Amino acid sequence: NTPAEQRAETEKKVDKIEDKMADSRMADTHVEWEKERADILADLRDLRDNIGSQLSKVNVDLADKKLKPSVRKDKEAMKAELEREKTNVEGLVAKAENATDATWSSTKADLDKASNDVKGWWARFKENIDKKTDADNDKDGH
C-alpha cells in the first residue's frame, strides 16, 4: 500500500464510523421524540378520559326529569363547557399523533401551551365543582 492508498482507506473507515455515529444519534433522537410523544399522548388521553367521565355524569344528571330549571341550566352550561374542552383535547391528541420527528419541536411547543391551558381549565373546573357542592371531590384539600 502506498501512503495515498492508506490515506484513502483510512478516510473510508473514518467516513463509515462517522456515518454509524450519525445513524446512532438519529436513532437516539428518534427514540427520544417517540418517548416524549408517547408521554404527552398518554397525558392528553388521560385528560380526555377524565373530561369524558365528567361529561357522562352531567348527561346522567340532565336525564333526570325532576331536575330544577336553574340546576338544569347550570348542568347544560357545564355540559357545553366539557364538550368544548373535550373537543380541544381530541384535537391535541390528533396533532400529537400526526407529528413527525421533523415537525416535533414546533408541534411540541404548541401542544405544551395548549395542554397547559386545558389542564389549568380542568383544575379550575374541579375547584368550582367543589365550591358548589361544599365537598372535596378532587381530594386536594380545598
Side-chain angles (χ1 to χ4, degrees):
N1 288 351
T2 66
E5 290 174 335
Q6 288 177 347
R7 191 174 327 117
E9 196 172 308
T10 302
E11 286 176 6
K12 284 182 187 178
K13 288 180 182 178
V14 168
D15 286 343
K16 284 183 183 178
I17 292 170
E18 287 175 348
D19 288 344
K20 285 182 182 179
M21 288 173 59
D23 288 347
S24 174
R25 279 193 300 273
M26 288 178 66
D28 288 346
T29 303
H30 183 75
V31 167
E32 288 171 4
W33 92 260
E34 280 287 348
K35 183 184 178 327
E36 262 185 341
R37 187 176 81 148
D39 291 345
I40 288 172
L41 276 167
D43 286 346
L44 289 172
R45 288 176 179 141
D46 185 49
L47 184 59
R48 179 190 59 197
D49 293 347
N50 289 338
I51 293 171
S53 175
Q54 188 64 40
L55 184 58
S56 295
K57 290 176 186 176
V58 170
N59 283 330
V60 167
D61 291 346
L62 285 170
D64 184 0
K65 301 291 184 198
K66 298 176 186 174
L67 203 59
K68 293 179 184 177
S70 61
V71 174
R72 181 172 298 281
K73 182 181 174 188
D74 288 345
K75 294 286 183 181
E76 286 172 351
M78 188 182 296
K79 177 181 176 179
E81 189 175 354
L82 287 164
E83 287 174 337
R84 182 188 72 236
E85 291 302 324
K86 186 175 179 188
T87 300
N88 288 344
V89 173
E90 287 171 345
L92 295 174
V93 167
K95 190 172 190 171
E97 288 174 340
N98 294 325
T100 64
D101 54 352
T103 63
W104 181 244
S105 61
S106 65
T107 302
K108 183 179 178 227
D110 293 345
L111 288 172
D112 283 344
K113 183 193 178 318
S115 179
N116 287 335
D117 291 347
V118 173
K119 286 177 183 176
W121 165 83
W122 182 242
R124 289 187 305 278
F125 180 82
K126 291 190 302 183
E127 278 304 310
N128 286 339
I129 290 174
D130 284 354
K131 286 178 186 173
K132 287 180 182 179
T133 61
D134 290 330
D136 188 16
N137 291 322
D138 60 1
K139 301 191 183 6
D140 65 352
H142 340 83

